Amino acid sequence: MEPQTTIDLTRLAAVMQKPPLFAPGDSFIWSDPHIAKQMLAVHLDQSTDLASRRTETIDRTVAWILDALDLTAGDALLDLGCGPGLYTSRFAAAGLTVTGVDLSANSLAYAREHDPASTYLQQNYVELDVPAAAFDAVTLIFGDFCVLSDAARDALLRRVVRALKPGGAFICDVTTPTFAATLPTGRDWTLETAGGFWKPGPHLVLEQPFTYPEHNTTVTQYVVLTDDGQTTLYRNWLHHYSPETLTAVLNAAGLTVTGTYGDLTGAAYTPDGDWLGIIARKPEA
Ligand SMILES: C[S@@+](CC[C@H](N)C(=O)[O-])C[C@H]1O[C@@H](n2cnc3c(N)ncnc32)[C@H](O)[C@@H]1O
């Protein structure tokens, strides 16, 4: 007879309740060892914008940032959550002195191999540890700002302000409440009998969204059950911002917003757009 697997239904019922705002999961998709191995392929996949945007958008984004911030050869740029270095390598090719920060050893190995001119640091950017007043620009690209709790976001902003030179620019993009309204609202499940994205062996994924309208926040929760009876909980939090709410947060951190856009290629901002790009500056000394 086949060995039987026991599922702890009490724990399952507990983890499927609506979680408190920004409560973490058991594991984090960017540092989970099995997921990290596949993430590089997802970053580089030109058929999807899941982990990074497509090359054509990245090229236009880098060109626009260089122009909008008037960056020239020798200027220092810090890219937070640089992943495999798709932006950093292009900024370096334009002559900037570039530092990339990411949690993922796998992505950083790729970045270092393809862009030896830049400096790559494996750090949690919420605890960013770089020299003070050293950077003309700090970038945080592809909505990473949105995954942070208010406390983590404000901790990150304190470190960004410290890292910027007087007059330096912080640039990031965030999702809007319009984007939030496009997210799936129903429960879903997937059975992978031969392993897949979440786990190397057979697993069942129970997907469930929750919304926190009073905080403009959504979470998609993935409960992953494996055939040894284990459950692993992943949560993908997204705090969505309007120009007003993002400006208030940046102002509170001591930054002044100098430009609001529909994305980081310089498109005009419209209230019905999914994305919001922003440039904010540290005051001149
Ligand atoms: C959505 S990807 C975007 C990567 C890159 N900005 C791009 O657009 O190609 C998010 C990246 O941020 C990294 N990351 C997530 N949280 C982080 C943290 N707290 N500290 C450092 N890196 C983090 C992940 O490892 C991943 O490479």
Side-chain angles (χ1 to χ4, degrees):
M1 188 157 138
E2 290 288 311
Q4 297 290 307
T5 299
T6 306
I7 298 175
D8 182 346
L9 291 178
T10 307
R11 166 162 156 79
L12 190 57
V15 297
M16 295 193 70
Q17 299 299 311
K18 183 175 181 174
L21 199 59
F22 289 112
D26 303 330
S27 190
F28 186 46
I29 58 162
W30 300 109
S31 47
D32 180 285
H34 170 71
I35 297 175
K37 278 190 220 132
Q38 302 158 83
M39 215 32 117
L40 184 56
V42 185
H43 277 293
L44 302 177
D45 187 342
Q46 292 299 303
S47 68
T48 164
D49 274 353
L50 270 178
S52 292
R53 297 193 172 103
R54 293 170 178 82
T55 300
E56 184 263 337
T57 311
I58 294 174
D59 286 337
R60 285 196 294 128
T61 302
V62 168
W64 182 75
I65 291 175
L66 289 170
D67 185 52
L69 301 186
D70 202 16
L71 294 170
T72 52
D75 284 348
L77 179 139
L78 173 66
D79 186 27
L80 303 177
C82 64
L86 305 179
Y87 294 86
T88 41
S89 55
R90 286 165 170 80
F91 285 125
L96 303 192
T97 303
V98 179
T99 304
V101 168
D102 205 282
L103 280 178
S104 164
N106 268 29
S107 287
L108 290 176
Y110 181 95
R112 289 186 180 114
E113 187 187 334
H114 289 81
D115 176 28
S118 298
T119 302
Y120 287 99
L121 305 173
Q122 186 177 10
Q123 290 184 15
N124 177 351
Y125 50 54
V126 176
E127 295 159 5
L128 182 69
D129 183 14
V130 294
F135 297 95
D136 298 283
V138 176
T139 51
L140 179 65
I141 301 175
F142 209 13
D144 285 19
F145 197 79
C146 301
V147 307
L148 300 169
S149 69
D150 295 5
R153 175 200 66 198
D154 294 342
L156 168 70
L157 285 174
R158 280 194 292 278
R159 286 166 169 78
V160 167
V161 171
R162 181 178 181 277
L164 282 171
K165 293 179 184 174
F170 173 59
I171 187 159
C172 74
D173 56 353
V174 295
T175 52
T176 64
T178 305
F179 177 86
T182 68
L183 293 172
T185 53
R187 297 174 174 187
D188 201 356
W189 60 269
T190 319
L191 179 61
E192 297 284 359
T193 52
F197 178 80
W198 296 98
K199 295 286 174 187
H203 58 278
L204 173 67
V205 185
L206 306 177
E207 181 179 335
Q208 194 174 12
F210 298 98
T211 59
Y212 303 75
E214 69 290 356
H215 196 268
N216 272 319
T217 297
T218 55
V219 66
T220 309
Q221 176 164 287
Y222 303 88
V223 179
V224 182
L225 294 99
T226 41
D227 60 2
D228 56 2
Q230 296 292 312
T231 60
T232 320
L233 173 65
Y234 300 84
R235 290 189 177 130
N236 186 16
W237 289 100
L238 285 177
H239 184 168
H240 312 278
Y241 292 89
S242 65
E244 293 73 25
T245 56
L246 184 55
T247 298
V249 165
L250 296 173
N251 286 348
L255 293 164
T256 303
V257 173
T258 57
T260 303
Y261 306 90
D263 61 22
L264 294 183
T265 70
Y269 169 76
T270 56
D272 57 352
D274 286 347
W275 286 88
L276 167 63
I278 210 145
I279 300 178
R281 293 216 175 246
K282 177 172 172 172
E284 295 286 349

